[in-house]
Amino acid sequence: MAEKSPLRVAVTGAAGNVSYALLFRIAAGEMFGPDQPVILQLLEIPVEGPQKALKGVAMELDDCAFPLLKGMVLTDNPDAAFGDADWCLLVGSKPRGPGMERADLLKDNGKIFIGQGRSIDAVAAKTTRVCVVGNPCNTNCMIAADQAKRLSPDQFTAMVRLDQNRAQTQLAQKAGVVVTSVSDLYIYGNHSPTMFADFTHAKIGGKPAAEVIGDDAWLKTEFLPTVGKRGGAIVEARGVSSAGSAANAVVDYVRDLATPGTVHAVAVATHGAYGFADGLWAGMPVRSTATGYEAITNIDMNDFAKSRIAITNEELVGERDTVKEMLGA
Ligand code: NAD
Ligand code: LMR
């Protein structure tokens, strides 16, 4: 069979910690499959240290002799990085340190996504898919998507997959089962402590998770905060934010977006679903299709779930308010 033509994958913040755990896995075929060649288009800021580090990362990628890696572009120019890109993975931005919330990064990081959104809209492939990882990722994604004129804002999504993976492990450990026994567990709302990891529809071994766990108080007062504050717990423990698990989640998120039929949690444009204000980017389950995804918007929520979604919606509305001068430009 003829070799597939390479996918152009742009990655920003390519000399950073998350990228260091991510790029090798993309080049190894874990994201787009073992028969899909890739060209990595790597963006770093125009500063000597990161540019030098980026060259080092590229040397290491070369030294892996990955059969699927058909080329690399190393650049400080967004238009060169995003040119004809099939996928734009926006990782580059400041991470939080101990004692900070992700929203504290908004003013600094938000503006990165104006210029990058504009560049992607101008030069990326018409069918490009934009995946935002840099925090606070929901609102950064909204800022980038706000620049979309040629592209559709629905081509822009943000990552809540790390939260889905964290939630799955917490339920599995509590129930004493393997992680693969946990299913139907999706994240609603913001990638922040207000997120709602919907245990009310989750299943363990095909049975309702709440029945198997049999401890409503634990689900509400331990499980939810543990998942919601896990990023902070990692920052406190490591002194820097998650990188290995974050990169692993990027692989899961993008691979599943590229795999039609897969159902997984992604932060997408809300279009009023689940009572989210219109025009926010909020986590919810989606089903991947051949060209994009369909948000799954018909899951019945009980009063508890509705009240949690209302809280995370309110926070997203507040973040939008904080960056209002970055929108509509
Ligand atoms: P890092 O500081 O190690 O790396 C970030 C890199 O981005 C740096 O090399 C920096 O030079 C580069 N950068 C900054 N501005 C840029 C720009 N305008 N264009 C291109 N590159 C730019 O940080 P990290 O640990 O790799 O984390 C990156 C981001 O990912 C942070 O915002 C972090 O909070 C976020 N993150 C999100 C999740 C999630 O679940 N959504 C998980 C982990 C990390
Ligand atoms: C995470 O959830 O680990 C990342 O978003 C990093 C952070 O600041 O929490």
PDB file of all heavy atoms in Angstrom, residues 12-13 15-18 43-45 50 91-96 105 109 112 116 133-135 137 159 162 191 241-242 246, ligand 1:
ATOM      1  N   THR A  12       3.510  24.326  19.856  1.00  0.00           N
ATOM      2  CA  THR A  12       4.110  25.544  20.415  1.00  0.00           C
ATOM      3  C   THR A  12       4.681  25.230  21.801  1.00  0.00           C
ATOM      4  O   THR A  12       4.284  24.247  22.437  1.00  0.00           O
ATOM      5  CB  THR A  12       3.072  26.679  20.526  1.00  0.00           C
ATOM      6  OG1 THR A  12       2.143  26.351  21.563  1.00  0.00           O
ATOM      7  CG2 THR A  12       2.332  26.884  19.217  1.00  0.00           C
ATOM      8  N   GLY A  13       5.601  26.063  22.224  1.00  0.00           N
ATOM      9  CA  GLY A  13       6.263  25.783  23.511  1.00  0.00           C
ATOM     10  C   GLY A  13       7.081  24.509  23.400  1.00  0.00           C
ATOM     11  O   GLY A  13       7.190  23.722  24.336  1.00  0.00           O
ATOM     12  N   ALA A  15      10.124  23.696  23.355  1.00  0.00           N
ATOM     13  CA  ALA A  15      11.289  23.393  24.194  1.00  0.00           C
ATOM     14  C   ALA A  15      10.899  23.276  25.667  1.00  0.00           C
ATOM     15  O   ALA A  15      11.767  23.152  26.529  1.00  0.00           O
ATOM     16  CB  ALA A  15      12.355  24.476  24.018  1.00  0.00           C
ATOM     17  N   GLY A  16       9.610  23.318  25.948  1.00  0.00           N
ATOM     18  CA  GLY A  16       9.148  23.275  27.340  1.00  0.00           C
ATOM     19  C   GLY A  16       9.004  21.851  27.864  1.00  0.00           C
ATOM     20  O   GLY A  16       9.261  20.870  27.160  1.00  0.00           O
ATOM     21  N   ASN A  17       8.553  21.790  29.117  1.00  0.00           N
ATOM     22  CA  ASN A  17       8.489  20.490  29.798  1.00  0.00           C
ATOM     23  C   ASN A  17       7.449  19.550  29.219  1.00  0.00           C
ATOM     24  O   ASN A  17       7.712  18.365  29.032  1.00  0.00           O
ATOM     25  CB  ASN A  17       8.189  20.708  31.290  1.00  0.00           C
ATOM     26  CG  ASN A  17       9.417  21.167  32.018  1.00  0.00           C
ATOM     27  OD1 ASN A  17      10.487  20.578  31.872  1.00  0.00           O
ATOM     28  ND2 ASN A  17       9.283  22.243  32.793  1.00  0.00           N
ATOM     29  N   VAL A  18       6.244  20.055  28.958  1.00  0.00           N
ATOM     30  CA  VAL A  18       5.200  19.175  28.413  1.00  0.00           C
ATOM     31  C   VAL A  18       5.645  18.667  27.044  1.00  0.00           C
ATOM     32  O   VAL A  18       5.553  17.477  26.742  1.00  0.00           O
ATOM     33  CB  VAL A  18       3.836  19.906  28.326  1.00  0.00           C
ATOM     34  CG1 VAL A  18       2.816  19.055  27.575  1.00  0.00           C
ATOM     35  CG2 VAL A  18       3.320  20.255  29.722  1.00  0.00           C
ATOM     36  N   LEU A  43       7.415  25.604  17.388  1.00  0.00           N
ATOM     37  CA  LEU A  43       7.505  27.045  17.661  1.00  0.00           C
ATOM     38  C   LEU A  43       8.037  27.297  19.064  1.00  0.00           C
ATOM     39  O   LEU A  43       7.564  26.682  20.033  1.00  0.00           O
ATOM     40  CB  LEU A  43       6.107  27.678  17.529  1.00  0.00           C
ATOM     41  CG  LEU A  43       6.030  29.194  17.738  1.00  0.00           C
ATOM     42  CD1 LEU A  43       6.738  29.940  16.601  1.00  0.00           C
ATOM     43  CD2 LEU A  43       4.566  29.667  17.828  1.00  0.00           C
ATOM     44  N   GLU A  44       9.002  28.192  19.151  1.00  0.00           N
ATOM     45  CA  GLU A  44       9.470  28.697  20.457  1.00  0.00           C
ATOM     46  C   GLU A  44       9.622  30.211  20.358  1.00  0.00           C
ATOM     47  O   GLU A  44       9.649  30.779  19.274  1.00  0.00           O
ATOM     48  CB  GLU A  44      10.797  28.052  20.870  1.00  0.00           C
ATOM     49  CG  GLU A  44      10.655  26.951  21.921  1.00  0.00           C
ATOM     50  CD  GLU A  44      10.024  27.409  23.256  1.00  0.00           C
ATOM     51  OE1 GLU A  44       9.998  28.617  23.538  1.00  0.00           O
ATOM     52  OE2 GLU A  44       9.568  26.547  24.008  1.00  0.00           O
ATOM     53  N   ILE A  45       9.698  30.844  21.513  1.00  0.00           N
ATOM     54  CA  ILE A  45       9.835  32.294  21.529  1.00  0.00           C
ATOM     55  C   ILE A  45      11.220  32.706  20.986  1.00  0.00           C
ATOM     56  O   ILE A  45      12.176  31.933  21.070  1.00  0.00           O
ATOM     57  CB  ILE A  45       9.625  32.860  22.960  1.00  0.00           C
ATOM     58  CG1 ILE A  45      10.470  32.098  23.982  1.00  0.00           C
ATOM     59  CG2 ILE A  45       8.163  32.798  23.340  1.00  0.00           C
ATOM     60  CD1 ILE A  45      10.439  32.703  25.377  1.00  0.00           C
ATOM     61  N   PRO A  50      15.560  29.387  24.909  1.00  0.00           N
ATOM     62  CA  PRO A  50      14.586  28.440  24.352  1.00  0.00           C
ATOM     63  C   PRO A  50      14.911  27.998  22.928  1.00  0.00           C
ATOM     64  O   PRO A  50      14.710  26.840  22.575  1.00  0.00           O
ATOM     65  CB  PRO A  50      13.262  29.226  24.395  1.00  0.00           C
ATOM     66  CG  PRO A  50      13.465  30.253  25.453  1.00  0.00           C
ATOM     67  CD  PRO A  50      14.917  30.587  25.449  1.00  0.00           C
ATOM     68  N   VAL A  91       0.684  24.458  23.231  1.00  0.00           N
ATOM     69  CA  VAL A  91       1.191  24.140  24.575  1.00  0.00           C
ATOM     70  C   VAL A  91       1.915  25.361  25.164  1.00  0.00           C
ATOM     71  O   VAL A  91       1.905  25.587  26.371  1.00  0.00           O
ATOM     72  CB  VAL A  91       2.157  22.927  24.501  1.00  0.00           C
ATOM     73  CG1 VAL A  91       2.682  22.573  25.882  1.00  0.00           C
ATOM     74  CG2 VAL A  91       1.482  21.714  23.858  1.00  0.00           C
ATOM     75  N   GLY A  92       2.541  26.145  24.306  1.00  0.00           N
ATOM     76  CA  GLY A  92       3.430  27.230  24.745  1.00  0.00           C
ATOM     77  C   GLY A  92       2.716  28.307  25.534  1.00  0.00           C
ATOM     78  O   GLY A  92       1.844  28.991  25.017  1.00  0.00           O
ATOM     79  N   SER A  93       3.092  28.451  26.766  1.00  0.00           N
ATOM     80  CA  SER A  93       2.594  29.500  27.665  1.00  0.00           C
ATOM     81  C   SER A  93       3.186  29.218  29.033  1.00  0.00           C
ATOM     82  O   SER A  93       3.793  28.170  29.239  1.00  0.00           O
ATOM     83  CB  SER A  93       1.066  29.510  27.741  1.00  0.00           C
ATOM     84  OG  SER A  93       0.590  28.226  27.973  1.00  0.00           O
ATOM     85  N   LYS A  94       2.966  30.178  29.938  1.00  0.00           N
ATOM     86  CA  LYS A  94       3.580  30.066  31.261  1.00  0.00           C
ATOM     87  C   LYS A  94       2.806  29.045  32.105  1.00  0.00           C
ATOM     88  O   LYS A  94       1.579  29.090  32.115  1.00  0.00           O
ATOM     89  CB  LYS A  94       3.451  31.450  31.908  1.00  0.00           C
ATOM     90  CG  LYS A  94       4.555  31.821  32.824  1.00  0.00           C
ATOM     91  CD  LYS A  94       4.647  33.317  32.995  1.00  0.00           C
ATOM     92  CE  LYS A  94       3.886  33.790  34.211  1.00  0.00           C
ATOM     93  NZ  LYS A  94       4.045  35.245  34.404  1.00  0.00           N
ATOM     94  N   PRO A  95       3.495  28.151  32.818  1.00  0.00           N
ATOM     95  CA  PRO A  95       2.784  27.300  33.780  1.00  0.00           C
ATOM     96  C   PRO A  95       2.671  28.003  35.121  1.00  0.00           C
ATOM     97  O   PRO A  95       3.396  28.961  35.379  1.00  0.00           O
ATOM     98  CB  PRO A  95       3.689  26.077  33.888  1.00  0.00           C
ATOM     99  CG  PRO A  95       5.064  26.568  33.574  1.00  0.00           C
ATOM    100  CD  PRO A  95       4.934  27.816  32.733  1.00  0.00           C
ATOM    101  N   ARG A  96       1.771  27.563  35.980  1.00  0.00           N
ATOM    102  CA  ARG A  96       1.679  28.172  37.313  1.00  0.00           C
ATOM    103  C   ARG A  96       2.737  27.571  38.241  1.00  0.00           C
ATOM    104  O   ARG A  96       3.225  26.460  38.004  1.00  0.00           O
ATOM    105  CB  ARG A  96       0.296  27.988  37.906  1.00  0.00           C
ATOM    106  CG  ARG A  96      -0.095  26.549  38.168  1.00  0.00           C
ATOM    107  CD  ARG A  96      -1.381  26.487  38.960  1.00  0.00           C
ATOM    108  NE  ARG A  96      -2.051  25.210  38.800  1.00  0.00           N
ATOM    109  CZ  ARG A  96      -2.965  24.765  39.628  1.00  0.00           C
ATOM    110  NH1 ARG A  96      -3.321  25.480  40.680  1.00  0.00           N
ATOM    111  NH2 ARG A  96      -3.560  23.605  39.429  1.00  0.00           N
ATOM    112  N   LEU A 105      -2.991  32.983  35.528  1.00  0.00           N
ATOM    113  CA  LEU A 105      -2.136  33.097  34.340  1.00  0.00           C
ATOM    114  C   LEU A 105      -2.817  33.848  33.200  1.00  0.00           C
ATOM    115  O   LEU A 105      -2.186  34.145  32.179  1.00  0.00           O
ATOM    116  CB  LEU A 105      -1.777  31.690  33.821  1.00  0.00           C
ATOM    117  CG  LEU A 105      -1.038  30.763  34.779  1.00  0.00           C
ATOM    118  CD1 LEU A 105      -1.024  29.340  34.219  1.00  0.00           C
ATOM    119  CD2 LEU A 105       0.393  31.252  34.993  1.00  0.00           C
ATOM    120  N   ASN A 109      -0.937  34.903  29.795  1.00  0.00           N
ATOM    121  CA  ASN A 109      -1.000  33.908  28.719  1.00  0.00           C
ATOM    122  C   ASN A 109      -2.046  34.239  27.670  1.00  0.00           C
ATOM    123  O   ASN A 109      -1.868  33.907  26.498  1.00  0.00           O
ATOM    124  CB  ASN A 109      -1.281  32.512  29.298  1.00  0.00           C
ATOM    125  CG  ASN A 109      -0.041  31.908  29.956  1.00  0.00           C
ATOM    126  OD1 ASN A 109       1.064  32.408  29.768  1.00  0.00           O
ATOM    127  ND2 ASN A 109      -0.225  30.845  30.709  1.00  0.00           N
ATOM    128  N   ILE A 112      -1.078  35.661  24.248  1.00  0.00           N
ATOM    129  CA  ILE A 112      -0.372  34.778  23.299  1.00  0.00           C
ATOM    130  C   ILE A 112      -1.361  34.219  22.273  1.00  0.00           C
ATOM    131  O   ILE A 112      -1.045  34.042  21.096  1.00  0.00           O
ATOM    132  CB  ILE A 112       0.278  33.585  24.059  1.00  0.00           C
ATOM    133  CG1 ILE A 112       1.373  34.069  25.012  1.00  0.00           C
ATOM    134  CG2 ILE A 112       0.801  32.523  23.096  1.00  0.00           C
ATOM    135  CD1 ILE A 112       1.927  32.969  25.931  1.00  0.00           C
ATOM    136  N   GLN A 116      -1.591  33.979  18.009  1.00  0.00           N
ATOM    137  CA  GLN A 116      -1.519  32.624  17.441  1.00  0.00           C
ATOM    138  C   GLN A 116      -2.829  32.255  16.755  1.00  0.00           C
ATOM    139  O   GLN A 116      -2.835  31.624  15.698  1.00  0.00           O
ATOM    140  CB  GLN A 116      -1.126  31.620  18.527  1.00  0.00           C
ATOM    141  CG  GLN A 116       0.319  31.867  18.986  1.00  0.00           C
ATOM    142  CD  GLN A 116       0.888  30.802  19.894  1.00  0.00           C
ATOM    143  OE1 GLN A 116       0.189  29.899  20.339  1.00  0.00           O
ATOM    144  NE2 GLN A 116       2.171  30.916  20.196  1.00  0.00           N
ATOM    145  N   VAL A 133      -3.654  23.536  25.144  1.00  0.00           N
ATOM    146  CA  VAL A 133      -3.189  22.907  26.388  1.00  0.00           C
ATOM    147  C   VAL A 133      -2.752  23.982  27.386  1.00  0.00           C
ATOM    148  O   VAL A 133      -2.973  23.863  28.589  1.00  0.00           O
ATOM    149  CB  VAL A 133      -2.024  21.932  26.073  1.00  0.00           C
ATOM    150  CG1 VAL A 133      -1.441  21.334  27.347  1.00  0.00           C
ATOM    151  CG2 VAL A 133      -2.496  20.828  25.127  1.00  0.00           C
ATOM    152  N   GLY A 134      -2.139  25.055  26.890  1.00  0.00           N
ATOM    153  CA  GLY A 134      -1.632  26.137  27.754  1.00  0.00           C
ATOM    154  C   GLY A 134      -2.749  26.721  28.606  1.00  0.00           C
ATOM    155  O   GLY A 134      -3.845  26.982  28.107  1.00  0.00           O
ATOM    156  N   ASN A 135      -2.466  26.923  29.871  1.00  0.00           N
ATOM    157  CA  ASN A 135      -3.507  27.360  30.819  1.00  0.00           C
ATOM    158  C   ASN A 135      -3.676  28.861  30.909  1.00  0.00           C
ATOM    159  O   ASN A 135      -2.723  29.606  30.678  1.00  0.00           O
ATOM    160  CB  ASN A 135      -3.149  26.806  32.216  1.00  0.00           C
ATOM    161  CG  ASN A 135      -3.576  25.378  32.361  1.00  0.00           C
ATOM    162  OD1 ASN A 135      -4.664  25.007  31.923  1.00  0.00           O
ATOM    163  ND2 ASN A 135      -2.735  24.567  32.994  1.00  0.00           N
ATOM    164  N   CYS A 137      -6.688  26.801  29.907  1.00  0.00           N
ATOM    165  CA  CYS A 137      -6.841  26.370  28.511  1.00  0.00           C
ATOM    166  C   CYS A 137      -8.219  26.661  27.932  1.00  0.00           C
ATOM    167  O   CYS A 137      -8.326  26.975  26.738  1.00  0.00           O
ATOM    168  CB  CYS A 137      -6.441  24.913  28.358  1.00  0.00           C
ATOM    169  SG  CYS A 137      -7.376  23.749  29.343  1.00  0.00           S
ATOM    170  N   MET A 159      -8.080  21.095  26.248  1.00  0.00           N
ATOM    171  CA  MET A 159      -7.858  19.787  26.882  1.00  0.00           C
ATOM    172  C   MET A 159      -8.441  19.683  28.295  1.00  0.00           C
ATOM    173  O   MET A 159      -8.037  20.430  29.188  1.00  0.00           O
ATOM    174  CB  MET A 159      -6.359  19.509  26.959  1.00  0.00           C
ATOM    175  CG  MET A 159      -6.060  18.154  27.585  1.00  0.00           C
ATOM    176  SD  MET A 159      -4.421  17.566  27.214  1.00  0.00           S
ATOM    177  CE  MET A 159      -3.562  17.965  28.729  1.00  0.00           C
ATOM    178  N   LEU A 162      -6.781  15.264  30.778  1.00  0.00           N
ATOM    179  CA  LEU A 162      -5.998  14.903  31.969  1.00  0.00           C
ATOM    180  C   LEU A 162      -6.941  14.714  33.153  1.00  0.00           C
ATOM    181  O   LEU A 162      -6.772  13.809  33.974  1.00  0.00           O
ATOM    182  CB  LEU A 162      -4.954  16.001  32.240  1.00  0.00           C
ATOM    183  CG  LEU A 162      -4.006  15.820  33.419  1.00  0.00           C
ATOM    184  CD1 LEU A 162      -3.313  14.462  33.426  1.00  0.00           C
ATOM    185  CD2 LEU A 162      -2.960  16.933  33.420  1.00  0.00           C
ATOM    186  N   HIS A 191     -11.231  23.572  33.109  1.00  0.00           N
ATOM    187  CA  HIS A 191     -10.062  22.830  33.611  1.00  0.00           C
ATOM    188  C   HIS A 191      -9.539  23.617  34.821  1.00  0.00           C
ATOM    189  O   HIS A 191      -8.591  24.387  34.738  1.00  0.00           O
ATOM    190  CB  HIS A 191      -8.998  22.731  32.505  1.00  0.00           C
ATOM    191  CG  HIS A 191      -7.712  22.129  32.981  1.00  0.00           C
ATOM    192  ND1 HIS A 191      -7.616  20.869  33.529  1.00  0.00           N
ATOM    193  CD2 HIS A 191      -6.442  22.627  32.995  1.00  0.00           C
ATOM    194  CE1 HIS A 191      -6.364  20.623  33.863  1.00  0.00           C
ATOM    195  NE2 HIS A 191      -5.632  21.679  33.552  1.00  0.00           N
ATOM    196  N   SER A 241       4.694  22.131  37.314  1.00  0.00           N
ATOM    197  CA  SER A 241       3.424  21.497  36.992  1.00  0.00           C
ATOM    198  C   SER A 241       3.625  20.189  36.230  1.00  0.00           C
ATOM    199  O   SER A 241       4.708  19.889  35.733  1.00  0.00           O
ATOM    200  CB  SER A 241       2.499  22.469  36.267  1.00  0.00           C
ATOM    201  OG  SER A 241       2.963  22.742  34.988  1.00  0.00           O
ATOM    202  N   SER A 242       2.544  19.444  36.169  1.00  0.00           N
ATOM    203  CA  SER A 242       2.564  18.117  35.545  1.00  0.00           C
ATOM    204  C   SER A 242       3.120  18.219  34.129  1.00  0.00           C
ATOM    205  O   SER A 242       2.833  19.176  33.406  1.00  0.00           O
ATOM    206  CB  SER A 242       1.146  17.553  35.500  1.00  0.00           C
ATOM    207  OG  SER A 242       0.331  18.374  34.689  1.00  0.00           O
ATOM    208  N   ALA A 246       0.529  15.135  31.645  1.00  0.00           N
ATOM    209  CA  ALA A 246      -0.103  16.109  30.741  1.00  0.00           C
ATOM    210  C   ALA A 246       0.160  15.702  29.292  1.00  0.00           C
ATOM    211  O   ALA A 246      -0.756  15.680  28.466  1.00  0.00           O
ATOM    212  CB  ALA A 246       0.461  17.504  31.016  1.00  0.00           C
TER     213      ALA A 246
HETATM  214  P1  NAD B   1       7.279  25.292  30.367  1.00  0.00           P
HETATM  215  O1  NAD B   1       7.512  26.617  30.974  1.00  0.00           O
HETATM  216  O2  NAD B   1       8.190  24.179  30.677  1.00  0.00           O
HETATM  217  O3  NAD B   1       7.257  25.420  28.776  1.00  0.00           O
HETATM  218  C1  NAD B   1       6.498  26.384  28.146  1.00  0.00           C
HETATM  219  C2  NAD B   1       7.253  26.764  26.889  1.00  0.00           C
HETATM  220  O4  NAD B   1       6.420  27.627  26.140  1.00  0.00           O
HETATM  221  C3  NAD B   1       8.547  27.521  27.175  1.00  0.00           C
HETATM  222  O5  NAD B   1       9.621  26.863  26.530  1.00  0.00           O
HETATM  223  C4  NAD B   1       8.295  28.910  26.613  1.00  0.00           C
HETATM  224  O6  NAD B   1       9.455  29.503  26.061  1.00  0.00           O
HETATM  225  C5  NAD B   1       7.257  28.593  25.551  1.00  0.00           C
HETATM  226  N1  NAD B   1       6.429  29.736  25.145  1.00  0.00           N
HETATM  227  C6  NAD B   1       5.974  30.760  25.908  1.00  0.00           C
HETATM  228  N2  NAD B   1       5.291  31.636  25.171  1.00  0.00           N
HETATM  229  C7  NAD B   1       5.293  31.155  23.907  1.00  0.00           C
HETATM  230  C8  NAD B   1       4.793  31.628  22.681  1.00  0.00           C
HETATM  231  N3  NAD B   1       4.130  32.782  22.603  1.00  0.00           N
HETATM  232  N4  NAD B   1       4.998  30.880  21.564  1.00  0.00           N
HETATM  233  C9  NAD B   1       5.673  29.737  21.636  1.00  0.00           C
HETATM  234  N5  NAD B   1       6.196  29.244  22.770  1.00  0.00           N
HETATM  235  C10 NAD B   1       6.011  29.939  23.890  1.00  0.00           C
HETATM  236  O7  NAD B   1       5.760  24.895  30.686  1.00  0.00           O
HETATM  237  P2  NAD B   1       5.074  23.459  30.547  1.00  0.00           P
HETATM  238  O8  NAD B   1       5.219  22.738  31.830  1.00  0.00           O
HETATM  239  O9  NAD B   1       5.516  22.827  29.300  1.00  0.00           O
HETATM  240  O10 NAD B   1       3.539  23.898  30.455  1.00  0.00           O
HETATM  241  C11 NAD B   1       3.066  24.569  29.305  1.00  0.00           C
HETATM  242  C12 NAD B   1       1.625  25.003  29.520  1.00  0.00           C
HETATM  243  O11 NAD B   1       0.784  23.860  29.580  1.00  0.00           O
HETATM  244  C13 NAD B   1       1.385  25.771  30.831  1.00  0.00           C
HETATM  245  O12 NAD B   1       0.483  26.835  30.592  1.00  0.00           O
HETATM  246  C14 NAD B   1       0.739  24.721  31.719  1.00  0.00           C
HETATM  247  O13 NAD B   1      -0.050  25.311  32.725  1.00  0.00           O
HETATM  248  C15 NAD B   1      -0.108  23.995  30.699  1.00  0.00           C
HETATM  249  N6  NAD B   1      -0.580  22.667  31.083  1.00  0.00           N
HETATM  250  C16 NAD B   1      -1.886  22.387  30.830  1.00  0.00           C
HETATM  251  C17 NAD B   1      -2.397  21.161  31.167  1.00  0.00           C
HETATM  252  C18 NAD B   1      -3.837  20.821  30.905  1.00  0.00           C
HETATM  253  O14 NAD B   1      -4.310  19.783  31.403  1.00  0.00           O
HETATM  254  N7  NAD B   1      -4.589  21.606  30.138  1.00  0.00           N
HETATM  255  C19 NAD B   1      -1.557  20.194  31.757  1.00  0.00           C
HETATM  256  C20 NAD B   1      -0.219  20.536  32.010  1.00  0.00           C
HETATM  257  C21 NAD B   1       0.281  21.776  31.645  1.00  0.00           C
END
